[in-house]
Amino acid sequence: MSSRTSPISQIAIRRAVARDAKRLTRLVRGSGAYEGKYAAMVAGYRVGPDYIEAHRVFVAVDADEHGGRVLGFYSLVLAPPELDLLFVADEAQGRGIGRLLVAHMRSEARAAGLDRVKVVSHPPAENFYHRVGAVRIGTALANPPAVLWDRPEFEFRIPSE
């Protein structure tokens, strides 16, 4: 089994703290999903301590490693309800971490009393969102110069328990 597809024995999801900001920024800027024509979108992107304080940001860490290597993270904005960021480190993709983060996000959304959460997806992530149960609701049109391409819009429906 290659290291790319080998399972991680212990994954913990914890609330992000201000000191995670630089690691999360590096994960976003280094994402292989944003190479080529998408590179400009994240070139100057920053996940700052202020962002972490303002939103529900959670990180997936490898609990087997000293210091807990960050494998991925997501950010849930409550008003209006939106999954603002969801990233899995390139070397950790294919191990179910994205699916785990989405399940955690759904649980957080339910606990916050939300019944749906919108996602404006990066085009290469469209199939992922279909696979984890999001429903396509439309298209966010390009908004030059910030965003040069149309993006699929999804919604997670959050059933009450």
Side-chain angles (χ1 to χ4, degrees):
M1 202 183 281
S2 77
S3 63
R4 180 166 169 80
T5 58
S6 64
I8 297 172
S9 58
Q10 293 292 331
I11 299 172
I13 297 180
R14 64 166 173 78
R15 188 82 184 245
V17 294
R19 72 176 177 274
D20 291 320
K22 287 182 181 176
R23 292 196 289 176
L24 302 185
T25 295
R26 278 193 303 271
L27 198 154
V28 170
R29 289 183 185 175
S31 174
Y34 284 88
E35 292 177 337
K37 71 178 184 176
Y38 300 117
M41 184 73 179
V42 297
Y45 199 87
R46 179 178 169 271
V47 180
D50 53 336
Y51 182 88
I52 291 170
E53 300 256 337
H55 304 295
R56 294 184 182 205
V57 182
F58 289 87
V59 296
V61 296
D62 184 345
D64 286 345
E65 287 190 22
H66 179 69
R69 178 173 57 113
V70 173
L71 303 169
F73 77 100
Y74 76 88
S75 172
L76 177 63
V77 175
L78 297 181
E82 183 174 0
L83 177 61
D84 187 38
L85 300 170
L86 174 63
F87 281 84
V88 174
D90 290 351
E91 69 275 6
Q93 291 186 11
R95 300 180 187 178
I97 295 165
R99 191 173 288 277
L100 186 65
L101 287 168
V102 166
H104 190 275
M105 180 277 301
R106 286 176 175 255
S107 178
E108 282 294 311
R110 186 176 303 108
L114 303 176
D115 65 351
R116 58 194 64 227
V117 175
K118 178 180 162 183
V119 180
V120 178
S121 175
H122 179 50
E126 184 171 2
N127 288 335
F128 167 77
Y129 285 111
H130 279 295
R131 288 192 311 270
V132 295
V135 176
R136 177 91 186 247
I137 59 169
T139 300
L141 299 177
N143 185 18
V147 180
L148 303 175
W149 54 88
D150 294 347
R151 295 161 293 151
E153 282 185 316
F154 290 92
E155 183 174 84
F156 286 102
R157 298 195 175 123
I158 312 295
S160 59
E161 291 186 307

